[in-house]
Amino acid sequence: MISLTIDGQRVEVEEGSTVLEAAQKAGIKIPTLCHHKALRPYGSCRVCLVEIERQNGSTVQTSCTYPAQEGLVVRTNTEDVLEARETIFELLLARCPDSEEVRRVAAEWGVSETGFTKKNRDCILCGKCVRMCEERMGRAAIGFVGRGSNKEVTPPFGTPSEVCQVCGACDFICPTGRIDLSEVTSRKPRPILSEYNKGLVSRPAVYIPSPQAVPNLALIDREHCARMLGRSCEVCKEFCEADAIRFDQQEERQTLDVGAMILAPGVEHFDGAKRGEYGFSHYENVVSNIQFERMLSASGPTEGKVLRLSDGHHPKSIAFIQCVGSRDAVTGNKYCSSFCCMAAIKEAILAREHNPDAQITIFCMDVRAFGKGFDRFYQRAKEEYGIEFVQGMISRIVGLPRSKNLRVSYVPEKGERVDREVDMVVLSTGFQPDEDLRRTAGKLNVQLDAFGFCRTNPLEPVQTSREGVFVAGVFQEPKDIPETVMQGSGAAACALALLSDVRGTMITEKTYPPEHDFTDATPRIGVFVCHCGTNIASVVDVERVVEAAKQLPFVGHAEANIYTCADNSQDHMREVVEERDLNRILVASCTPRTHLALFRETAREVGINPFLVEMANIREQCSWVHAAEPEAATGKAIDLMRMAAARTARLTPAAPEELPVVKSALVLGGGPSGMTAALSLAAQGFDVHLVEKEQELGGGLRDLHYTLEGDDIQAFRENLIAAVTNSGRIEVHLGTNLVDIEGHAGDFLSTIATSRGAKLEIKHGVLIVATGGREFKPQQFLYGEDPRVVTQRELEDAIANGEPVVGDRDTVVMIQCVGSRDEERPYCSRVCCAQAVKNALKIKEKNPDATVVVLYRDMRTYGFQEIEYQRAREAGVLFFRYDPEMPPTVSGREDLVVKFDDPITGQRKPLRTDLLVLSTGIVPAEDNPHISELAKLPLDEDGFFLEAHVKLRPVDFASEGIFLCGLAHSPKFLKENIFQAMAAAGRAATILSKDSLLVGGEIAWVDGTKCVSCLTCTRVCPYGAPTISFSDPHRRIEIDPVKCMGCGSCAAECPAMAIQLHNFVDSQISAAIAAMMGAR
Amino acid sequence: MPRITVEDLDKIAERARKATLLSEGAGRARITMHMGSCGLAAGAQKVMEALLEECERKGIQDVILTRSGCAGLCSREPMATVELRGEAPIKYVELTPERIRKILEEHVLGGKVVEEYFLREQPVQPPMEPISEEEPISGVTDNGFFARQTLIALRNRGLIDPEKIDEYIARDGYRALLKALTSMTPEEIIQTIKDSGLRGRGGAGFPTGLKWELCRTAAGEPKYIICNGDEGDPGAFMDRSIVEADPHSVLEGMIIGAFAIGAHQGYIYIRNEYPLALEKLLTAIEQARDYGLLGGNILGSGFSFDVKVQRGAGAFVCGEETALIAAIEGRPPEPRQRPPFPAQCGLWDKPTNINNVETWANVPPIILRGSEWFSSMGTEKSKGTKVFCLVGKIKNTGLVEVPMGITLREVIFEIGGGMPNGKQFKAVQTGGPSGGCIPAELIDLPIDYERLTEAGSIMGSGGMIVMDEDTCVVDVARYFTRFTNRESCGKCSACRDGSEALLEILDRVCEGEGKDEDIALLEKLVKAIKLGSMCGLGQTLPTPVVTTLKYFRPEYEAHIREKRCPAGVCKSLIRYLVDEEACTGCMLCVKECPVEAISGETKQPQTIDQSKCIKCGLCYAVCKFDAVSRT
């Protein structure tokens, strides 16, 4: 080791180190531009100057090239050094005034303007590219030519090099963006396009697949890594501080012994280029919806800005083209991809929010907003955001060579061909299973359908053709997020049913050291500031945050980590806590939502109460949102950390209690959902009380006869009831209603009563609400007045019973959206379109010569239903779109006449019909409000139950221990009800499988001396946690620690300030605010 | 030719003397034509051909015709030295074929010196004899160009035929090598060089003996030595002249150095723009190899050494040691960080010693005559002599070798003969583009490393550019800055972009567009360039600006504030006008004007059309009546 002195600080470094490395080791900042860790020192930019003391005076040298020598005395901030450096920065700024890197580094050292003539050259001749190519890649395909001001980087003789291996390392490492690979190489440069960013940008050969990747680790792309391809490089090795790069790593095969398997591989997106007429991959300003999503993402390649790829301008007009590669006989993708309409509407709204002046048009066949709340969203897009929807398919798109605009040609429903010029086109590409899936399915011996999706039975929607192998997500059928999540939980429930015998056998109980009592100890906080790789450190000066932390009261230790959450960092944290005798931990990093649990766990492992751990979010709330202002962001990070530290010093421990779990469930509703949920729970080994208000099981199944695919629903119903009856674990309570429920997750006490008043108390750990819905009974279109007017269900009944519904040459008219998508019920009932298609086909089967007319607004036959819709059209069923402003009218004396606007001629046409079928919607069950009140469960605007999160938690209620499924949630098909019921059972099992629940911790408590029993808290609490204590003579409020979710609503609202939330007490919050204000 | 032994050297010397010395009966007379690059450029080849023809025609047998390198006074070339047996040699200058024929007729054959062409201040020509150890090598006349010169590095200039190794041997050539190999240890040699006080003549003046010692003691084998012959300063040609006139002196120095250092391979880096020097050098190497003075087991000593010649492609920066090494290695000539110094990590990363041509040429006499002899010359810290190239606004342009400590006045006025046309001496730029501009008031400055540095300049490789009152120092600074900007290797931002910025400012000052803050900007820049550059080129490139700013600041201010060039050089700032009173209408200026800007009737005052005038100054120069004025 060599010892030298830098700015008065002694530093020890290894022989062969440079002065710059020594300074970096000592934490002394020196600017660099031409220096690169993986390259030999070069010393051309001259900004890393330092002064080196010598016997006969001092000398100014570049620290990156000057060898560290024993006893060397170095100063980095003398007047000479600073002056010369400033002038050199000015020279470089004059040379390359547009280089961001030069400007950034210069600005860091206080130089933002130059006094010299600006040259607008694009290269600072740092030689990184040349060195990279020669030293690392062993190619020397580029080099310097010329002298003095004429020096430049070029391949030999200025002609593209033949030895260039097109690795792009020169381009990658260039700080000014000077390198144009096409000038360097004689071959065609092929950037590695980022899969995650959908080819909008390139990525290096070492990369993290996506910011959400699990595990969030970098990997080397074997097919592009120069080293892996047998050449030199190994640059990554120089940078990996953990020494984790292993070039000799081989593919490993692992054998896992499993009892069940779930396939959730997803599918690919349709390649827009296969529809050549849309110009995707040909015209720069035609992008796919997924690319557009990446643009909208704040962490995406355009940082959330919608930009034209041709010129980086904000588009003033955007056209979305729907059904690209979906509902498409040309490519064979006849199915509907189910998600693209809503995705387009969302993207259109976001684009509009980005640029309120942008004109946005969605070209589509039908707007398939069939999901829960979707139609409202669609209406908002039209009404609030002014998104234009044009029914009509685009025949072709032509790129205009000069403006790079796009001419979109289409034929509207009424009228002639229209050409419209737009700035940007977004293709709503659908789903498409790929070849890999076929191979995998082949190996697994799982059958696929003709398109390559996993074949399932509508009545067993997660079961593949192979026993024990289940499927979830879009691999089964195209679907949106809520259904994907439901199906995932449903598949898990099915798998767990097979594994109930061995549940929990692989768990090893973790033991913790006894917790230290720090009650009287002075707080000693350990502050860990995370670089999060470059996520935080590229914006926030982490070292300054650490330095600021060291100055704060009660801080016993502060340090920075590259990744505080990494395993080795956790080991280190444990060591530091013990070494430095710390009793509180503050991590300044990302959101507590993802990592607080981890740091609490670490604290527990060293005997610190987990509630003495705090986090300051300097990533999502700082570096990510203030990326453009590093200086201000650093200030904010320090403030956030300072506030958190003030709080941390005042945190108090909490001891959650363990409450035993009652291992049985109560399922409310004996329809298909309730029965399926009950059976799933029973199969998983739990006892179930199935409460049905009717005298028999079956619910809505009683009125259905066949599925669109042709399955016999009545047989299914009988089997289901038999299974329930024979289960042995399911106790069926027919003719009973829920009259009371109290308790909390893991320990509910419900009272059910028969209509005659017989009551029964049931203890259960979870509640599943499966109360169903019902058919809308219309009062228009002569329904109930004219016997020739029926509902679809009535028609289905008649068909199933073999009644002669129509004559051979009769006419049947079906009107869609009766009682749906109107002012009173502004939601889509989802099932009616397919129902109409189903029944129309049945009629056509029996009476091929009958005329069947369907009057619709949008045909919402999503997923594979689309194929049946096409079949119906092929079978001669006539579909006419009607405008809700000009709905069909029905008159009937002798002849039943339907009048509607012919969309082609625009004229209103009378049509005599023999049968009018109304496609009526689904409405919520009548007793939903009653149950909502009893169990404190929220309802949505339409009267269906409201889940915890529409997309991500579709079967959970916000209150723990209560789940929902079926029509109680929203209108949907039988198969969807089935997997949602399974999902509810799966989610419920996460509680039932535990012996006890931990309660308490960060929850609210009442100061009895202040409580005036005003009941404000009971009204604001979404979970029903505060109640009047009847054991208290003063009848004050008490809070059920199990029900309390720690949201703090009661504490905030309590007029008497009698309620405090643990670790969010006033003194802690005031301290945090004071810390911040004091900083200003 | 057989390989020679130690004894053979004497025989060769004897033989050579017999063949060349008139006193030994070699002939009745001897005509030595000086055919260095300067002589050839002035027409020496034609003169030589005329001489040969004339001798042939006249059937002259007893006159030895020989050729040698430059005799030093380049401004008077072509030159020849005529020596009759028993008489002092006479130098003739500015020869033509007619003149040489006349000299042959009247002097060589007729015995009468032709005074028309004869050099007034004749040097005492040392005879082609061994140099006795007692007597000094010098021995030149006591006035004029050759006065005060002391020839060590240039000891054989103009005397021997550079293509004849025997003539070199006859003048004690390779005696020092013999002495070194047979009676000295490497350590003793190094000690001798250290004691002599010899310092590197390439510019920086690092003690040569110490440099050798560092390389000798550095870890690593093999070791290399390099002769730096990449002379790139504008107005400097001492190395070229030495190699052209006396290549063996360099080779002998190198072999001695190699022996002392422990190197077995040497490189001579010589620029390809010196074709004559290259030719002489390659011939010399062949001859030395034939005599076994290069190659294996030199003079039977068991020591082996050989040299390779590396031709440079003409980059000024290759004079920098590490850039030169890079060039030899086949890489772009870019300097690199020192330390490590070449003595530790040089050519192919091995210990390497680099000295320039003049340094190597100094080595043999030191070894032969001892360190004290050498160190007796010069000043306290600068020993021996130094070769200077005297150029610019001076009467005697040429190569002079003078003892250290001589004053500028002696060199410029006594040796150089002062300014032509009675102009006033203004300044002298020493050390080439890296050097500084020393003003007239420091004319009595003694020349040595330390004093020049104190004055803000450097010794450099020995360039000495003399300026008279008609020289604009801002223009001079601009000239050198332009040179260094073009010759910068372009690696260091400070040097590359700094010199460019410097040049831009100087350009605008010369163009009359200078701003008040430009002087401050120049001062800020020169500091950054000096501190921020890696090698000597960059570190010293501001010196002309620094010294002119230091000594001639008012001239800068005149350019910037008054938009006036006091020396009348900067074209944008001057105007030529005809004085109507003085103009006689002789029309000479009208004839000379290259752009027909002057017009008027005969015998009437002329006028200059300023829009056409390109300010070439011809009218000013040719007017016999001082009627053209420059303002």
Short mmCIF file of all heavy atoms in Angstrom, two decimals, chain A residues 42 44-46 61 65-66 80 83 90 95 117 119 121 124-125 144 147-149 151, chain B residues 314 334 337 485 487-493 496-497 500 504 524 527-528 532-534:
data_model
loop_
_atom_site.label_atom_id
_atom_site.label_comp_id
_atom_site.label_asym_id
_atom_site.label_seq_id
_atom_site.Cartn_x
_atom_site.Cartn_y
_atom_site.Cartn_z
N TYR A 42 -5.75 8.51 -19.83
CA TYR A 42 -5.35 9.15 -21.08
C TYR A 42 -4.96 10.60 -20.82
O TYR A 42 -3.92 11.06 -21.27
CB TYR A 42 -6.52 9.06 -22.05
CG TYR A 42 -6.23 9.56 -23.44
CD1 TYR A 42 -5.16 9.04 -24.17
CD2 TYR A 42 -7.02 10.53 -24.04
CE1 TYR A 42 -4.90 9.49 -25.45
CE2 TYR A 42 -6.77 10.97 -25.32
CZ TYR A 42 -5.71 10.45 -26.02
OH TYR A 42 -5.46 10.89 -27.28
N SER A 44 -6.66 13.64 -21.51
CA SER A 44 -6.80 14.61 -22.59
C SER A 44 -7.73 15.77 -22.25
O SER A 44 -7.56 16.85 -22.78
CB SER A 44 -7.28 13.93 -23.87
OG SER A 44 -8.62 13.55 -23.74
N CYS A 45 -8.70 15.54 -21.38
CA CYS A 45 -9.65 16.64 -21.17
C CYS A 45 -9.11 17.68 -20.20
O CYS A 45 -9.51 18.83 -20.24
CB CYS A 45 -10.99 16.10 -20.66
SG CYS A 45 -10.95 15.55 -18.96
N ARG A 46 -8.21 17.27 -19.36
CA ARG A 46 -7.45 18.16 -18.46
C ARG A 46 -8.30 18.81 -17.38
O ARG A 46 -7.85 19.79 -16.77
CB ARG A 46 -6.71 19.26 -19.25
CG ARG A 46 -6.02 18.82 -20.51
CD ARG A 46 -5.03 17.71 -20.31
NE ARG A 46 -3.83 18.08 -19.59
CZ ARG A 46 -2.89 17.21 -19.26
NH1 ARG A 46 -3.03 15.94 -19.57
NH2 ARG A 46 -1.83 17.59 -18.61
N GLN A 61 -0.82 18.82 -12.45
CA GLN A 61 -0.85 17.60 -13.27
C GLN A 61 -2.28 17.08 -13.31
O GLN A 61 -3.10 17.41 -12.47
CB GLN A 61 0.04 16.51 -12.63
CG GLN A 61 1.50 16.88 -12.51
CD GLN A 61 2.26 16.71 -13.82
OE1 GLN A 61 1.74 16.16 -14.79
NE2 GLN A 61 3.49 17.19 -13.86
N THR A 65 -3.91 10.66 -14.63
CA THR A 65 -2.74 9.98 -15.18
C THR A 65 -1.58 9.95 -14.19
O THR A 65 -0.64 9.19 -14.38
CB THR A 65 -2.25 10.71 -16.45
OG1 THR A 65 -2.07 12.08 -16.16
CG2 THR A 65 -3.22 10.56 -17.60
N TYR A 66 -1.65 10.77 -13.18
CA TYR A 66 -0.48 10.87 -12.29
C TYR A 66 -0.47 9.72 -11.30
O TYR A 66 -1.45 9.48 -10.60
CB TYR A 66 -0.48 12.20 -11.54
CG TYR A 66 0.91 12.63 -11.15
CD1 TYR A 66 1.71 13.31 -12.04
CD2 TYR A 66 1.43 12.29 -9.90
CE1 TYR A 66 3.02 13.67 -11.71
CE2 TYR A 66 2.73 12.64 -9.56
CZ TYR A 66 3.52 13.34 -10.47
OH TYR A 66 4.81 13.69 -10.13
N ASP A 80 -4.47 28.05 -8.50
CA ASP A 80 -4.00 27.69 -9.83
C ASP A 80 -4.89 26.63 -10.46
O ASP A 80 -5.29 26.73 -11.62
CB ASP A 80 -2.57 27.14 -9.76
CG ASP A 80 -1.55 28.27 -9.81
OD1 ASP A 80 -1.98 29.43 -10.01
OD2 ASP A 80 -0.35 27.98 -9.67
N GLU A 83 -8.44 27.95 -11.23
CA GLU A 83 -8.45 28.90 -12.35
C GLU A 83 -8.24 28.19 -13.67
O GLU A 83 -8.97 28.41 -14.64
CB GLU A 83 -7.32 29.92 -12.18
CG GLU A 83 -7.78 31.22 -11.57
CD GLU A 83 -6.62 32.20 -11.49
OE1 GLU A 83 -5.93 32.41 -12.51
OE2 GLU A 83 -6.40 32.73 -10.38
N GLU A 90 -14.23 26.34 -19.87
CA GLU A 90 -14.71 27.33 -20.83
C GLU A 90 -14.30 26.96 -22.25
O GLU A 90 -15.07 27.12 -23.20
CB GLU A 90 -14.17 28.72 -20.49
CG GLU A 90 -14.90 29.39 -19.34
CD GLU A 90 -14.56 30.87 -19.27
OE1 GLU A 90 -14.61 31.53 -20.31
OE2 GLU A 90 -14.23 31.33 -18.16
N ARG A 95 -15.89 24.67 -27.39
CA ARG A 95 -15.72 23.65 -28.43
C ARG A 95 -17.02 22.91 -28.70
O ARG A 95 -17.42 22.74 -29.84
CB ARG A 95 -14.65 22.66 -27.94
CG ARG A 95 -14.31 21.63 -28.97
CD ARG A 95 -13.26 20.64 -28.47
NE ARG A 95 -13.06 19.66 -29.51
CZ ARG A 95 -12.24 19.81 -30.53
NH1 ARG A 95 -11.51 20.90 -30.64
NH2 ARG A 95 -12.16 18.89 -31.46
N THR A 117 -14.89 32.01 -28.30
CA THR A 117 -15.80 31.86 -29.44
C THR A 117 -16.33 30.43 -29.52
O THR A 117 -15.55 29.48 -29.48
CB THR A 117 -15.04 32.18 -30.75
OG1 THR A 117 -14.24 33.34 -30.52
CG2 THR A 117 -15.99 32.40 -31.89
N LYS A 119 -17.61 27.05 -31.06
CA LYS A 119 -17.20 26.37 -32.29
C LYS A 119 -18.25 25.39 -32.80
O LYS A 119 -18.22 24.99 -33.95
CB LYS A 119 -15.91 25.57 -32.06
CG LYS A 119 -14.79 26.34 -31.46
CD LYS A 119 -14.28 27.37 -32.46
CE LYS A 119 -13.11 28.17 -31.94
NZ LYS A 119 -12.91 28.24 -30.52
N ARG A 121 -18.36 22.28 -32.35
CA ARG A 121 -17.84 20.98 -32.77
C ARG A 121 -18.60 19.94 -31.95
O ARG A 121 -19.25 20.26 -30.96
CB ARG A 121 -16.35 20.89 -32.50
CG ARG A 121 -15.55 21.80 -33.42
CD ARG A 121 -14.07 21.53 -33.24
NE ARG A 121 -13.30 22.30 -34.17
CZ ARG A 121 -12.49 23.31 -33.81
NH1 ARG A 121 -12.33 23.61 -32.56
NH2 ARG A 121 -11.83 23.97 -34.73
N ILE A 124 -15.09 16.21 -28.11
CA ILE A 124 -14.07 16.83 -27.26
C ILE A 124 -12.77 16.06 -27.31
O ILE A 124 -11.86 16.32 -26.54
CB ILE A 124 -14.54 16.99 -25.80
CG1 ILE A 124 -14.98 15.65 -25.22
CG2 ILE A 124 -15.66 18.01 -25.70
CD1 ILE A 124 -15.14 15.69 -23.71
N LEU A 125 -12.68 15.10 -28.20
CA LEU A 125 -11.46 14.33 -28.40
C LEU A 125 -10.98 13.68 -27.10
O LEU A 125 -9.79 13.63 -26.84
CB LEU A 125 -10.36 15.22 -29.00
CG LEU A 125 -10.68 15.76 -30.40
CD1 LEU A 125 -9.73 16.87 -30.76
CD2 LEU A 125 -10.59 14.64 -31.44
N PHE A 144 -7.33 8.46 -34.10
CA PHE A 144 -7.20 9.90 -34.31
C PHE A 144 -6.45 10.17 -35.60
O PHE A 144 -5.50 9.46 -35.92
CB PHE A 144 -6.39 10.52 -33.17
CG PHE A 144 -7.14 10.58 -31.87
CD1 PHE A 144 -6.66 9.94 -30.75
CD2 PHE A 144 -8.32 11.30 -31.78
CE1 PHE A 144 -7.34 10.00 -29.55
CE2 PHE A 144 -9.00 11.38 -30.58
CZ PHE A 144 -8.51 10.73 -29.47
N ARG A 147 -3.80 16.93 -36.60
CA ARG A 147 -3.11 17.52 -35.47
C ARG A 147 -3.85 18.77 -35.03
O ARG A 147 -4.65 19.31 -35.80
CB ARG A 147 -1.71 17.94 -35.90
CG ARG A 147 -0.67 16.92 -35.61
CD ARG A 147 0.66 17.43 -36.12
NE ARG A 147 1.04 16.73 -37.33
CZ ARG A 147 2.02 17.12 -38.12
NH1 ARG A 147 2.70 18.21 -37.85
NH2 ARG A 147 2.33 16.42 -39.19
N GLY A 148 -3.53 19.20 -33.83
CA GLY A 148 -4.06 20.47 -33.35
C GLY A 148 -5.57 20.56 -33.51
O GLY A 148 -6.30 19.62 -33.21
N SER A 149 -6.01 21.69 -34.00
CA SER A 149 -7.46 21.90 -34.13
C SER A 149 -8.07 21.01 -35.18
O SER A 149 -9.29 20.89 -35.25
CB SER A 149 -7.73 23.36 -34.48
OG SER A 149 -7.17 24.18 -33.49
N LYS A 151 -7.56 17.83 -35.41
CA LYS A 151 -7.59 16.44 -34.97
C LYS A 151 -9.03 15.95 -34.96
O LYS A 151 -9.96 16.66 -34.59
CB LYS A 151 -7.02 16.36 -33.55
CG LYS A 151 -6.79 14.93 -33.08
CD LYS A 151 -6.00 14.94 -31.79
CE LYS A 151 -5.57 13.55 -31.44
NZ LYS A 151 -4.38 13.52 -30.62
N GLY B 314 7.44 14.21 -39.77
CA GLY B 314 7.38 15.66 -39.71
C GLY B 314 6.32 16.20 -38.80
O GLY B 314 5.42 16.90 -39.23
N GLU B 334 1.53 10.98 -29.69
CA GLU B 334 0.91 11.77 -28.63
C GLU B 334 1.75 11.60 -27.38
O GLU B 334 2.05 10.46 -27.00
CB GLU B 334 -0.51 11.26 -28.34
CG GLU B 334 -1.52 11.66 -29.36
CD GLU B 334 -2.89 11.10 -29.03
OE1 GLU B 334 -3.02 10.40 -27.99
OE2 GLU B 334 -3.82 11.35 -29.80
N GLN B 337 1.72 10.89 -19.99
CA GLN B 337 2.10 11.37 -18.65
C GLN B 337 3.50 10.92 -18.28
O GLN B 337 3.87 9.77 -18.48
CB GLN B 337 1.11 10.81 -17.63
CG GLN B 337 1.45 11.13 -16.20
CD GLN B 337 1.16 12.57 -15.86
OE1 GLN B 337 0.11 13.08 -16.19
NE2 GLN B 337 2.10 13.23 -15.21
N ASN B 485 -0.26 25.86 -32.62
CA ASN B 485 -1.63 25.38 -32.74
C ASN B 485 -1.73 24.29 -33.81
O ASN B 485 -2.38 23.27 -33.63
CB ASN B 485 -2.57 26.54 -33.08
CG ASN B 485 -3.97 26.07 -33.44
OD1 ASN B 485 -4.39 26.15 -34.58
ND2 ASN B 485 -4.68 25.51 -32.46
N GLU B 487 0.78 22.47 -34.79
CA GLU B 487 1.64 21.33 -34.47
C GLU B 487 1.25 20.64 -33.16
O GLU B 487 1.82 19.61 -32.83
CB GLU B 487 3.10 21.79 -34.42
CG GLU B 487 3.67 22.13 -35.79
CD GLU B 487 3.71 20.93 -36.73
OE1 GLU B 487 3.80 19.79 -36.24
OE2 GLU B 487 3.61 21.14 -37.96
N SER B 488 0.33 21.24 -32.42
CA SER B 488 -0.16 20.56 -31.21
C SER B 488 -0.67 19.19 -31.63
O SER B 488 -1.30 19.05 -32.68
CB SER B 488 -1.30 21.38 -30.61
OG SER B 488 -2.08 20.56 -29.76
N CYS B 489 -0.40 18.19 -30.81
CA CYS B 489 -0.88 16.87 -31.21
C CYS B 489 -2.40 16.81 -31.09
O CYS B 489 -3.04 15.92 -31.63
CB CYS B 489 -0.23 15.78 -30.38
SG CYS B 489 -0.94 15.59 -28.76
N GLY B 490 -2.96 17.75 -30.34
CA GLY B 490 -4.43 17.79 -30.24
C GLY B 490 -4.98 16.95 -29.12
O GLY B 490 -6.19 16.80 -28.99
N LYS B 491 -4.10 16.40 -28.31
CA LYS B 491 -4.60 15.55 -27.23
C LYS B 491 -5.17 16.39 -26.08
O LYS B 491 -6.33 16.20 -25.69
CB LYS B 491 -3.47 14.66 -26.72
CG LYS B 491 -3.84 13.77 -25.55
CD LYS B 491 -2.68 12.86 -25.19
CE LYS B 491 -3.01 11.96 -24.03
NZ LYS B 491 -1.94 10.98 -23.78
N CYS B 492 -4.37 17.28 -25.55
CA CYS B 492 -4.82 18.05 -24.39
C CYS B 492 -5.74 19.19 -24.82
O CYS B 492 -5.39 19.98 -25.70
CB CYS B 492 -3.63 18.66 -23.66
SG CYS B 492 -2.55 17.45 -22.93
N SER B 493 -6.86 19.28 -24.16
CA SER B 493 -7.79 20.36 -24.47
C SER B 493 -7.13 21.72 -24.26
O SER B 493 -7.32 22.63 -25.04
CB SER B 493 -9.03 20.24 -23.59
OG SER B 493 -8.66 20.26 -22.23
N ARG B 496 -4.68 22.24 -27.29
CA ARG B 496 -5.37 22.25 -28.59
C ARG B 496 -6.37 23.41 -28.69
O ARG B 496 -6.24 24.27 -29.56
CB ARG B 496 -6.10 20.91 -28.74
CG ARG B 496 -6.97 20.78 -29.95
CD ARG B 496 -7.84 19.54 -29.77
NE ARG B 496 -8.80 19.74 -28.69
CZ ARG B 496 -9.08 18.85 -27.74
NH1 ARG B 496 -8.46 17.69 -27.71
NH2 ARG B 496 -9.97 19.12 -26.82
N ASP B 497 -7.30 23.42 -27.78
CA ASP B 497 -8.34 24.44 -27.85
C ASP B 497 -7.82 25.77 -27.31
O ASP B 497 -8.26 26.84 -27.73
CB ASP B 497 -9.58 24.00 -27.06
CG ASP B 497 -10.20 22.75 -27.67
OD1 ASP B 497 -9.98 22.51 -28.87
OD2 ASP B 497 -10.90 22.01 -26.94
N GLU B 500 -5.88 27.49 -29.98
CA GLU B 500 -6.82 27.99 -30.98
C GLU B 500 -7.46 29.30 -30.50
O GLU B 500 -7.57 30.26 -31.25
CB GLU B 500 -7.90 26.94 -31.24
CG GLU B 500 -8.75 27.25 -32.45
CD GLU B 500 -9.79 26.18 -32.73
OE1 GLU B 500 -10.10 25.38 -31.83
OE2 GLU B 500 -10.31 26.16 -33.85
N GLU B 504 -7.10 33.00 -32.03
CA GLU B 504 -8.26 33.81 -32.41
C GLU B 504 -8.14 35.23 -31.84
O GLU B 504 -8.44 36.21 -32.53
CB GLU B 504 -9.55 33.19 -31.86
CG GLU B 504 -10.12 32.13 -32.76
CD GLU B 504 -11.16 31.29 -32.04
OE1 GLU B 504 -11.57 31.67 -30.91
OE2 GLU B 504 -11.52 30.26 -32.61
N LYS B 524 -5.36 35.05 -18.88
CA LYS B 524 -6.09 33.93 -18.27
C LYS B 524 -5.81 32.64 -19.06
O LYS B 524 -5.57 31.58 -18.50
CB LYS B 524 -7.58 34.28 -18.31
CG LYS B 524 -8.53 33.19 -17.92
CD LYS B 524 -9.95 33.75 -17.90
CE LYS B 524 -10.97 32.65 -18.10
NZ LYS B 524 -12.32 33.07 -17.83
N LYS B 527 -2.23 31.10 -18.76
CA LYS B 527 -2.04 30.40 -17.48
C LYS B 527 -2.62 28.99 -17.56
O LYS B 527 -1.98 28.02 -17.17
CB LYS B 527 -2.73 31.19 -16.37
CG LYS B 527 -2.53 30.56 -15.02
CD LYS B 527 -3.02 31.44 -13.90
CE LYS B 527 -2.71 30.78 -12.57
NZ LYS B 527 -3.19 31.55 -11.44
N ALA B 528 -3.84 28.91 -18.10
CA ALA B 528 -4.49 27.60 -18.18
C ALA B 528 -3.73 26.67 -19.12
O ALA B 528 -3.58 25.48 -18.85
CB ALA B 528 -5.93 27.76 -18.66
N GLY B 532 -2.25 23.51 -17.70
CA GLY B 532 -3.15 22.42 -18.05
C GLY B 532 -2.64 21.50 -19.14
O GLY B 532 -3.34 20.56 -19.51
N SER B 533 -1.48 21.74 -19.67
CA SER B 533 -1.00 20.88 -20.76
C SER B 533 -0.09 19.80 -20.24
O SER B 533 0.62 19.97 -19.25
CB SER B 533 -0.27 21.72 -21.81
OG SER B 533 -1.17 22.63 -22.39
N MET B 534 -0.10 18.69 -20.97
CA MET B 534 0.65 17.54 -20.49
C MET B 534 2.14 17.67 -20.81
O MET B 534 2.97 17.38 -19.98
CB MET B 534 0.08 16.27 -21.12
CG MET B 534 0.82 15.02 -20.72
SD MET B 534 0.08 13.57 -21.45
CE MET B 534 -1.28 13.27 -20.35
#
